[in-house]
Every structure is written in structure tokens, then in C-alpha cells.
Amino acid sequence: MTNNVHNFQVRVYYEDTDVLGIVYYANYLKFFERARTEWLRELGIKQSIYLEQNTGFVVRRLGMENIASAKLDDLLNVTTTISEVKRASLVFNQKITNQTQQLLCTTKVRVAYVNLGLGKPCAMPKDILGALKRVS
Amino acid sequence: MTNNVHNFQVRVYYEDTDVLGIVYYANYLKFFERARTEWLRELGIKQSIYLEQNTGFVVRRLGMENIASAKLDDLLNVTTTISEVKRASLVFNQKITNQTQQLLCTTKVRVAYVNLGLGKPCAMPKDILGALKRVS
Amino acid sequence: MTNNVHNFQVRVYYEDTDVLGIVYYANYLKFFERARTEWLRELGIKQSIYLEQNTGFVVRRLGMENIASAKLDDLLNVTTTISEVKRASLVFNQKITNQTQQLLCTTKVRVAYVNLGLGKPCAMPKDILGALKRVS
Amino acid sequence: MTNNVHNFQVRVYYEDTDVLGIVYYANYLKFFERARTEWLRELGIKQSIYLEQNTGFVVRRLGMENIASAKLDDLLNVTTTISEVKRASLVFNQKITNQTQQLLCTTKVRVAYVNLGLGKPCAMPKDILGALKRVS
């Protein structure tokens, strides 16, 4: 039996904050990407292997909503699900809550599998596709 | 007569790239924010002044579409327009092209004016509101 | 009995790499700072508390030597010791190794305790000073 | 006649600051690297060209001293000189001042020319070496 929801913890450090005293908005995209990477790793997909074949995942489209702000020392939880898997792309739905279970941020991200030499989408390897379909 | 379109140039450095050989997706949000900041500065709005009153602009919602990738040494142009100005928020429409006029990335960003102590939206100061209305 | 050596693990993500295929040099400073922060946290020093009193740690001087490069997916270990504790500053010695125990990077960092309003060094609170002396 | 001192301006944006209200220490290394890159560009050395031959500049050792802090909206000036040029490495001396000519930060950086496939130093191409010698 597979688990269709992935949880990943992120600590907020100085590097993540800005002069407003909150996490800089672009840095939530780093947190979301770390969570996706760790889920792929748990599914047996180590991205550095595929990079050697000059292919990899590239973000094509995203929407982000920021409801409340993370602060220094916060321990965040990133929840990830996959809502769609196609031959050359997939869609992640993700949200971030803090240690008091307050919802801070949500995103929906379409990621394409790309031939990096050509800069064009290409079909994912079968083992990646199979692993993603099992958890979507 | 006012100018309703703002252009701002960004050079791509090592810090902006990743192992895929392209600009890391979160970094486009930095480029977009630099362009918005420079436009506000040209309109006479120096954000550090308002910070002293514990108020500032915070991104509430955004959509981003990535059509093609920027690379090291690219000289990008960020074009910005404002499509909506309300008492406590506004909407920026932005796009990035490279030195060959190729479209790389577009975004639509809703920014709220926030009382940072309360973490709540508040009405923009009159001089900011007036300046924004003149170019929207 | 106290432990005078702190170990902290860091995973390398896309955000940390650059077009050379290795971790961008400034990002090692982020890893070192995360490790210092976690050690302070284990010692009971939560920096966000002191920030409310408008004081905090600021880096004054550092030396870094880069022996070899970290890569995507690497699982790094940051080892930290404290070689000197004074009333208003301290010195950290840190090094980073990868999952094959290869030494990648070393640093020596002098951190000052600063009154952020004045931008001037000030004596650390007694509880911080006591905790640091116990592990130096 | 060549110019042995290079000046480069950097604006401080939100992305550069942290919750202390000042520029995060690792980000000075980004500013220094941008200045080095622009100087190399002015000397006719476009790094992306050499990357295609799988060679590039990698920082080997650095010392940084932080005298005072940069803040949001500051317009910084990065001054760069070269104090040593060898076959496979060189040394940059750099400093950052703000718009009131206050000295904020100095660094001395040894950069190696590296075969990225082997991860080992290699002799710089003659045109790079010649250009660097003319301004050192």
C-alpha cells in the first residue's frame, strides 16, 4: 500500500527571512521544491542520476497563495500531493503550515520533464512514471 | 504625462543559476520584485521610509508561467504594468524577455499593503496610492 | 557533562547549486549558519527571543577554505566547535564533509553580539554567555 | 592604458536583507562575485564561453571582514583590484562602501581556474591570462 500524501519539515533560518521580519516570498518556492525532491527520493527517484542523461524536472507553471507569514525559528510542515501525472509532466499540490497548525501558504505547480540539451519536454523514464502513478 | 509601462534590466549571474544550467525558478521572483521596487522608487516611493512606520508591501497571490529558460550572462528585461489599484492592494503584470527578445516568463502578482505589527492589510498612505493610480 | 562538538546534517538541493554543477560558494555560509543556529537552539538559546530585545549575533570576520565541491543530492555533515568566548563575541570553527567523509570546506567565524538599534557590540546576556562557556 | 581598479554598483533589495534589518552576510559574497564577473566581462572574458569547454573559475579561499551593515535601498559600490595572477589562480581584493562612502565590508578572494570534469586546477586560456595580467 502506498502513501499518497507526503510531509516534510523545514526550519526557518536567517537566510530565509527579510527586513519585514518574515520569510521572503521567493523562499517558499525553495521549501516547496525541497519537499518535492524528498518525496521523489523516497520513491526511489534520485534526480542527479537523470541529470547525467541530460534530463530533469523543470517548473512550467505555478500559482501561490500566501495567507500568513512564517518567521525566524518556525518549524514548518510542507504537505504534498500529486493531482495529475502525464507522460511528460505532473501537477503537485502543496501547502505549508507552521508549528501551531496555522496555514501559511498553498501552491499548485506543474512540472515538466525536459531534455535539457534541447530545452524541450520529453517522456519520463518508465520507472519515474510508474512511481509517480502509484502515489497520485 | 505618465508612463504606464516600466522596463528594468537584470543580468544573470552564477548565484541565479542551478545545476540544470538555467536560472532557478524561485529566482525569477527576485527579478520581478527588483523591477517592482525600482518602479516604486521612480514614482517617489522609497520603501525603507514606510518600513519605519512598520508597514510595507507583502505578496498575497501570484501566478507564474515559465516559457523558456534564462542562462548565465543573459541580459534580461523585466516589463511591468499595473492592472488594478485598490486601497490596500494592487496587481502587477510582469514579463521577462532576454537579449534576443524571447519571452521567458510571465507573472501576475497581487501585493497587499500590510501593518507588519498586526500582520493585517491596511490602507496605503495617500502619496503611494496617488502615485500608483497615475500609472495604472 | 557537555558535548563540545556539534554535528548537523544538510541536504544539497537545486537551490544550492549553480551552473558549474556544484554548490555556489556563498551557500556554504548558509549551511554554516544553520549549524550554528541549531547548536545555539540545543543549548537553549532561541535567537528570536533576543531579537525582540533588539539584539542579535552578527558575523564580523570569517575565513573560508574550499577544498572540494558539494553536489546535488549530497548529504553533508557540518561539524562545529567554539574556540573562544568573550563578553561580546565568540569564534566558531566549522567544517563540512560529505557522505564519503571527504572534507569539502572549513571556516573560522567571529560573531559579535550586537545592539541592533545602535549597530554596536554589547555584552551577551548571562544565560547565553554561560551556555557558550560550557561548550567551548 | 588600462584601468587597474574596477567599480560596480549594487542596489540592496528585500531578497538581500534578513530579519536583523541588514544584508545577510552570505549575500555580500554574491555582490563581490557580480563585481568580479562584470570586470571579467569588461576585459572581454565571457564566462559562459569557457563553461562550454567545461572549465571555469572556482573560489578556493577567502577572508571577509564586516565593518558595518548595508540596509534596504542602499546603493553600494564594490571596488575590485587584482593583487596576484598565476597560471591557474588569481587573487582579488574587494571592498564595499555605501552611498555615504562608509566602508562596510572587505574581502580577499583566491579564485582557481578549474577543469570541472576532473575537479582539478588547470592553466587559464592565454587570452584570459593576458587580460588579467594587464590589469593586475
Side-chain angles (χ1 to χ4, degrees), chain B residues 98-131:
Chain B
N98 66 13
Q99 61 277 355
T100 67
Q101 275 69 54
Q102 187 183 15
L103 179 63
L104 305 185
C105 186
T106 64
T107 195
K108 182 177 174 176
V109 184
R110 178 171 291 278
V111 175
Y113 199 74
V114 171
N115 178 312
L116 297 165
L118 302 173
K120 302 221 159 159
C122 64
M124 292 180 223
K126 284 224 174 64
D127 50 348
I128 295 187
L129 198 61

mmCIF file of all heavy atoms in Angstrom, chain B residues 98-131:
data_model
loop_
_atom_site.group_PDB
_atom_site.id
_atom_site.type_symbol
_atom_site.label_atom_id
_atom_site.label_comp_id
_atom_site.label_asym_id
_atom_site.label_seq_id
_atom_site.Cartn_x
_atom_site.Cartn_y
_atom_site.Cartn_z
ATOM 1 N N ASN B 98 14.573 37.977 -22.937
ATOM 2 C CA ASN B 98 16.048 38.020 -22.948
ATOM 3 C C ASN B 98 16.564 38.943 -24.063
ATOM 4 O O ASN B 98 15.784 39.633 -24.716
ATOM 5 C CB ASN B 98 16.643 36.608 -23.031
ATOM 6 C CG ASN B 98 16.331 35.928 -24.349
ATOM 7 O OD1 ASN B 98 15.882 36.570 -25.303
ATOM 8 N ND2 ASN B 98 16.559 34.637 -24.408
ATOM 9 N N GLN B 99 17.879 38.939 -24.273
ATOM 10 C CA GLN B 99 18.510 39.879 -25.204
ATOM 11 C C GLN B 99 18.140 39.607 -26.665
ATOM 12 O O GLN B 99 18.407 40.439 -27.541
ATOM 13 C CB GLN B 99 20.034 39.877 -25.019
ATOM 14 C CG GLN B 99 20.733 38.551 -25.266
ATOM 15 C CD GLN B 99 20.677 37.619 -24.049
ATOM 16 O OE1 GLN B 99 20.199 37.994 -22.981
ATOM 17 N NE2 GLN B 99 21.168 36.411 -24.211
ATOM 18 N N THR B 100 17.518 38.450 -26.943
ATOM 19 C CA THR B 100 17.028 38.196 -28.304
ATOM 20 C C THR B 100 15.513 38.382 -28.382
ATOM 21 O O THR B 100 14.876 37.881 -29.310
ATOM 22 C CB THR B 100 17.396 36.764 -28.773
ATOM 23 O OG1 THR B 100 16.654 35.834 -27.976
ATOM 24 C CG2 THR B 100 18.874 36.492 -28.617
ATOM 25 N N GLN B 101 14.954 39.065 -27.383
ATOM 26 C CA GLN B 101 13.510 39.368 -27.317
ATOM 27 C C GLN B 101 12.646 38.114 -27.165
ATOM 28 O O GLN B 101 11.437 38.146 -27.391
ATOM 29 C CB GLN B 101 13.039 40.154 -28.555
ATOM 30 C CG GLN B 101 13.258 41.654 -28.430
ATOM 31 C CD GLN B 101 14.727 42.010 -28.471
ATOM 32 O OE1 GLN B 101 15.433 41.641 -29.392
ATOM 33 N NE2 GLN B 101 15.206 42.712 -27.461
ATOM 34 N N GLN B 102 13.264 37.014 -26.758
ATOM 35 C CA GLN B 102 12.480 35.799 -26.493
ATOM 36 C C GLN B 102 11.750 35.959 -25.165
ATOM 37 O O GLN B 102 12.339 36.393 -24.173
ATOM 38 C CB GLN B 102 13.436 34.593 -26.439
ATOM 39 C CG GLN B 102 12.701 33.267 -26.332
ATOM 40 C CD GLN B 102 13.664 32.098 -26.201
ATOM 41 O OE1 GLN B 102 14.843 32.268 -25.910
ATOM 42 N NE2 GLN B 102 13.156 30.895 -26.410
ATOM 43 N N LEU B 103 10.471 35.594 -25.141
ATOM 44 C CA LEU B 103 9.682 35.647 -23.905
ATOM 45 C C LEU B 103 10.028 34.447 -23.031
ATOM 46 O O LEU B 103 9.915 33.294 -23.463
ATOM 47 C CB LEU B 103 8.186 35.637 -24.230
ATOM 48 C CG LEU B 103 7.251 35.656 -23.018
ATOM 49 C CD1 LEU B 103 7.415 36.936 -22.206
ATOM 50 C CD2 LEU B 103 5.795 35.501 -23.465
ATOM 51 N N LEU B 104 10.452 34.704 -21.786
ATOM 52 C CA LEU B 104 10.869 33.616 -20.902
ATOM 53 C C LEU B 104 9.836 33.310 -19.837
ATOM 54 O O LEU B 104 9.633 32.159 -19.463
ATOM 55 C CB LEU B 104 12.203 33.976 -20.221
ATOM 56 C CG LEU B 104 13.371 34.343 -21.117
ATOM 57 C CD1 LEU B 104 14.621 34.556 -20.272
ATOM 58 C CD2 LEU B 104 13.625 33.266 -22.166
ATOM 59 N N CYS B 105 9.183 34.345 -19.320
ATOM 60 C CA CYS B 105 8.453 34.166 -18.080
ATOM 61 C C CYS B 105 7.438 35.302 -17.916
ATOM 62 O O CYS B 105 7.740 36.449 -18.235
ATOM 63 C CB CYS B 105 9.498 34.218 -16.962
ATOM 64 S SG CYS B 105 8.909 33.873 -15.333
ATOM 65 N N THR B 106 6.244 34.949 -17.441
ATOM 66 C CA THR B 106 5.245 35.984 -17.124
ATOM 67 C C THR B 106 4.736 35.760 -15.707
ATOM 68 O O THR B 106 4.755 34.640 -15.201
ATOM 69 C CB THR B 106 4.044 35.925 -18.088
ATOM 70 O OG1 THR B 106 3.380 34.671 -17.913
ATOM 71 C CG2 THR B 106 4.468 36.079 -19.537
ATOM 72 N N THR B 107 4.255 36.829 -15.099
ATOM 73 C CA THR B 107 3.653 36.682 -13.781
ATOM 74 C C THR B 107 2.571 37.725 -13.578
ATOM 75 O O THR B 107 2.574 38.782 -14.225
ATOM 76 C CB THR B 107 4.705 36.792 -12.650
ATOM 77 O OG1 THR B 107 4.124 36.304 -11.430
ATOM 78 C CG2 THR B 107 5.138 38.221 -12.417
ATOM 79 N N LYS B 108 1.648 37.400 -12.692
ATOM 80 C CA LYS B 108 0.625 38.328 -12.223
ATOM 81 C C LYS B 108 0.691 38.236 -10.708
ATOM 82 O O LYS B 108 0.547 37.141 -10.153
ATOM 83 C CB LYS B 108 -0.747 37.889 -12.754
ATOM 84 C CG LYS B 108 -1.883 38.810 -12.375
ATOM 85 C CD LYS B 108 -3.197 38.331 -13.011
ATOM 86 C CE LYS B 108 -4.350 39.187 -12.505
ATOM 87 N NZ LYS B 108 -5.623 38.822 -13.151
ATOM 88 N N VAL B 109 0.930 39.373 -10.050
ATOM 89 C CA VAL B 109 1.197 39.353 -8.617
ATOM 90 C C VAL B 109 0.262 40.312 -7.888
ATOM 91 O O VAL B 109 0.228 41.502 -8.212
ATOM 92 C CB VAL B 109 2.657 39.795 -8.333
ATOM 93 C CG1 VAL B 109 2.977 39.675 -6.849
ATOM 94 C CG2 VAL B 109 3.646 38.997 -9.146
ATOM 95 N N ARG B 110 -0.488 39.791 -6.917
ATOM 96 C CA ARG B 110 -1.271 40.679 -6.057
ATOM 97 C C ARG B 110 -0.476 40.978 -4.802
ATOM 98 O O ARG B 110 -0.055 40.065 -4.081
ATOM 99 C CB ARG B 110 -2.620 40.083 -5.672
ATOM 100 C CG ARG B 110 -3.402 41.013 -4.723
ATOM 101 C CD ARG B 110 -4.839 40.577 -4.477
ATOM 102 N NE ARG B 110 -5.675 40.712 -5.649
ATOM 103 C CZ ARG B 110 -6.257 41.859 -6.042
ATOM 104 N NH1 ARG B 110 -6.087 42.985 -5.352
ATOM 105 N NH2 ARG B 110 -6.992 41.880 -7.125
ATOM 106 N N VAL B 111 -0.263 42.277 -4.553
ATOM 107 C CA VAL B 111 0.536 42.722 -3.423
ATOM 108 C C VAL B 111 -0.378 43.487 -2.470
ATOM 109 O O VAL B 111 -1.130 44.362 -2.908
ATOM 110 C CB VAL B 111 1.679 43.632 -3.908
ATOM 111 C CG1 VAL B 111 2.457 44.213 -2.752
ATOM 112 C CG2 VAL B 111 2.605 42.862 -4.851
ATOM 113 N N ALA B 112 -0.324 43.169 -1.185
ATOM 114 C CA ALA B 112 -1.138 43.874 -0.192
ATOM 115 C C ALA B 112 -0.270 44.848 0.595
ATOM 116 O O ALA B 112 0.921 44.622 0.786
ATOM 117 C CB ALA B 112 -1.769 42.875 0.767
ATOM 118 N N TYR B 113 -0.873 45.933 1.030
ATOM 119 C CA TYR B 113 -0.178 46.841 1.943
ATOM 120 C C TYR B 113 -0.553 46.408 3.352
ATOM 121 O O TYR B 113 -1.749 46.244 3.662
ATOM 122 C CB TYR B 113 -0.590 48.292 1.678
ATOM 123 C CG TYR B 113 0.392 49.280 2.244
ATOM 124 C CD1 TYR B 113 1.624 49.474 1.630
ATOM 125 C CD2 TYR B 113 0.111 50.003 3.394
ATOM 126 C CE1 TYR B 113 2.542 50.366 2.146
ATOM 127 C CE2 TYR B 113 1.026 50.905 3.916
ATOM 128 C CZ TYR B 113 2.243 51.072 3.285
ATOM 129 O OH TYR B 113 3.162 51.956 3.803
ATOM 130 N N VAL B 114 0.447 46.186 4.202
ATOM 131 C CA VAL B 114 0.223 45.480 5.451
ATOM 132 C C VAL B 114 0.798 46.241 6.640
ATOM 133 O O VAL B 114 1.887 46.819 6.556
ATOM 134 C CB VAL B 114 0.864 44.068 5.356
ATOM 135 C CG1 VAL B 114 0.846 43.358 6.716
ATOM 136 C CG2 VAL B 114 0.144 43.223 4.309
ATOM 137 N N ASN B 115 0.045 46.239 7.728
ATOM 138 C CA ASN B 115 0.578 46.664 9.020
ATOM 139 C C ASN B 115 1.368 45.482 9.562
ATOM 140 O O ASN B 115 0.793 44.442 9.902
ATOM 141 C CB ASN B 115 -0.572 47.033 9.961
ATOM 142 C CG ASN B 115 -0.071 47.440 11.337
ATOM 143 O OD1 ASN B 115 0.752 46.755 11.921
ATOM 144 N ND2 ASN B 115 -0.577 48.553 11.856
ATOM 145 N N LEU B 116 2.690 45.623 9.617
ATOM 146 C CA LEU B 116 3.544 44.469 9.902
ATOM 147 C C LEU B 116 3.424 44.005 11.351
ATOM 148 O O LEU B 116 3.635 42.831 11.648
ATOM 149 C CB LEU B 116 4.988 44.803 9.560
ATOM 150 C CG LEU B 116 5.213 45.105 8.071
ATOM 151 C CD1 LEU B 116 6.557 45.775 7.856
ATOM 152 C CD2 LEU B 116 5.097 43.839 7.246
ATOM 153 N N GLY B 117 3.093 44.929 12.240
ATOM 154 C CA GLY B 117 2.905 44.535 13.634
ATOM 155 C C GLY B 117 1.684 43.646 13.797
ATOM 156 O O GLY B 117 1.731 42.609 14.454
ATOM 157 N N LEU B 118 0.592 44.029 13.146
ATOM 158 C CA LEU B 118 -0.654 43.265 13.239
ATOM 159 C C LEU B 118 -0.706 42.115 12.235
ATOM 160 O O LEU B 118 -1.492 41.181 12.386
ATOM 161 C CB LEU B 118 -1.865 44.194 12.981
ATOM 162 C CG LEU B 118 -2.002 45.400 13.916
ATOM 163 C CD1 LEU B 118 -3.126 46.309 13.449
ATOM 164 C CD2 LEU B 118 -2.263 44.921 15.350
ATOM 165 N N GLY B 119 0.150 42.191 11.189
ATOM 166 C CA GLY B 119 0.069 41.182 10.132
ATOM 167 C C GLY B 119 -1.229 41.297 9.342
ATOM 168 O O GLY B 119 -1.699 40.317 8.776
ATOM 169 N N LYS B 120 -1.812 42.513 9.290
ATOM 170 C CA LYS B 120 -3.100 42.705 8.609
ATOM 171 C C LYS B 120 -2.999 43.803 7.551
ATOM 172 O O LYS B 120 -2.243 44.762 7.720
ATOM 173 C CB LYS B 120 -4.173 43.115 9.626
ATOM 174 C CG LYS B 120 -4.340 42.100 10.740
ATOM 175 C CD LYS B 120 -5.798 41.899 11.094
ATOM 176 C CE LYS B 120 -5.952 40.567 11.799
ATOM 177 N NZ LYS B 120 -7.165 40.455 12.595
ATOM 178 N N PRO B 121 -3.827 43.684 6.498
ATOM 179 C CA PRO B 121 -3.850 44.723 5.466
ATOM 180 C C PRO B 121 -4.264 46.065 6.073
ATOM 181 O O PRO B 121 -5.053 46.108 7.014
ATOM 182 C CB PRO B 121 -4.934 44.244 4.495
ATOM 183 C CG PRO B 121 -5.147 42.806 4.798
ATOM 184 C CD PRO B 121 -4.768 42.593 6.225
ATOM 185 N N CYS B 122 -3.748 47.133 5.512
ATOM 186 C CA CYS B 122 -4.195 48.462 5.910
ATOM 187 C C CYS B 122 -4.150 49.369 4.688
ATOM 188 O O CYS B 122 -3.519 49.045 3.687
ATOM 189 C CB CYS B 122 -3.327 49.014 7.045
ATOM 190 S SG CYS B 122 -1.608 49.281 6.606
ATOM 191 N N ALA B 123 -4.855 50.491 4.755
ATOM 192 C CA ALA B 123 -4.902 51.405 3.615
ATOM 193 C C ALA B 123 -3.514 51.982 3.344
ATOM 194 O O ALA B 123 -2.769 52.315 4.270
ATOM 195 C CB ALA B 123 -5.890 52.534 3.900
ATOM 196 N N MET B 124 -3.174 52.087 2.066
ATOM 197 C CA MET B 124 -1.889 52.704 1.707
ATOM 198 C C MET B 124 -1.913 54.192 2.042
ATOM 199 O O MET B 124 -2.967 54.833 1.953
ATOM 200 C CB MET B 124 -1.658 52.607 0.199
ATOM 201 C CG MET B 124 -1.441 51.211 -0.303
ATOM 202 S SD MET B 124 -1.179 51.258 -2.106
ATOM 203 C CE MET B 124 -2.193 49.862 -2.603
ATOM 204 N N PRO B 125 -0.744 54.752 2.368
ATOM 205 C CA PRO B 125 -0.649 56.203 2.504
ATOM 206 C C PRO B 125 -1.099 56.888 1.206
ATOM 207 O O PRO B 125 -0.918 56.339 0.116
ATOM 208 C CB PRO B 125 0.846 56.433 2.737
ATOM 209 C CG PRO B 125 1.350 55.148 3.311
ATOM 210 C CD PRO B 125 0.516 54.070 2.689
ATOM 211 N N LYS B 126 -1.665 58.083 1.345
ATOM 212 C CA LYS B 126 -2.235 58.791 0.181
ATOM 213 C C LYS B 126 -1.229 59.026 -0.933
ATOM 214 O O LYS B 126 -1.572 58.945 -2.109
ATOM 215 C CB LYS B 126 -2.804 60.154 0.635
ATOM 216 C CG LYS B 126 -4.137 60.049 1.369
ATOM 217 C CD LYS B 126 -5.132 61.116 0.879
ATOM 218 C CE LYS B 126 -6.509 60.940 1.479
ATOM 219 N NZ LYS B 126 -6.501 61.129 2.970
ATOM 220 N N ASP B 127 0.028 59.332 -0.571
ATOM 221 C CA ASP B 127 1.009 59.627 -1.628
ATOM 222 C C ASP B 127 1.338 58.373 -2.449
ATOM 223 O O ASP B 127 1.539 58.448 -3.662
ATOM 224 C CB ASP B 127 2.285 60.264 -1.042
ATOM 225 C CG ASP B 127 2.841 59.477 0.126
ATOM 226 O OD1 ASP B 127 2.146 58.572 0.643
ATOM 227 O OD2 ASP B 127 3.984 59.749 0.528
ATOM 228 N N ILE B 128 1.382 57.204 -1.790
ATOM 229 C CA ILE B 128 1.608 55.965 -2.528
ATOM 230 C C ILE B 128 0.425 55.696 -3.441
ATOM 231 O O ILE B 128 0.579 55.445 -4.646
ATOM 232 C CB ILE B 128 1.802 54.759 -1.569
ATOM 233 C CG1 ILE B 128 3.073 54.918 -0.732
ATOM 234 C CG2 ILE B 128 1.833 53.462 -2.358
ATOM 235 C CD1 ILE B 128 3.416 53.699 0.108
ATOM 236 N N LEU B 129 -0.770 55.772 -2.881
ATOM 237 C CA LEU B 129 -1.985 55.479 -3.636
ATOM 238 C C LEU B 129 -2.101 56.390 -4.864
ATOM 239 O O LEU B 129 -2.400 55.937 -5.977
ATOM 240 C CB LEU B 129 -3.209 55.659 -2.722
ATOM 241 C CG LEU B 129 -4.508 55.008 -3.173
ATOM 242 C CD1 LEU B 129 -4.370 53.492 -3.279
ATOM 243 C CD2 LEU B 129 -5.638 55.354 -2.214
ATOM 244 N N GLY B 130 -1.824 57.663 -4.648
ATOM 245 C CA GLY B 130 -1.917 58.612 -5.754
ATOM 246 C C GLY B 130 -0.921 58.283 -6.861
ATOM 247 O O GLY B 130 -1.263 58.288 -8.051
ATOM 248 N N ALA B 131 0.298 57.986 -6.471
ATOM 249 C CA ALA B 131 1.343 57.679 -7.458
ATOM 250 C C ALA B 131 0.978 56.429 -8.256
ATOM 251 O O ALA B 131 1.149 56.377 -9.478
ATOM 252 C CB ALA B 131 2.685 57.505 -6.757
#
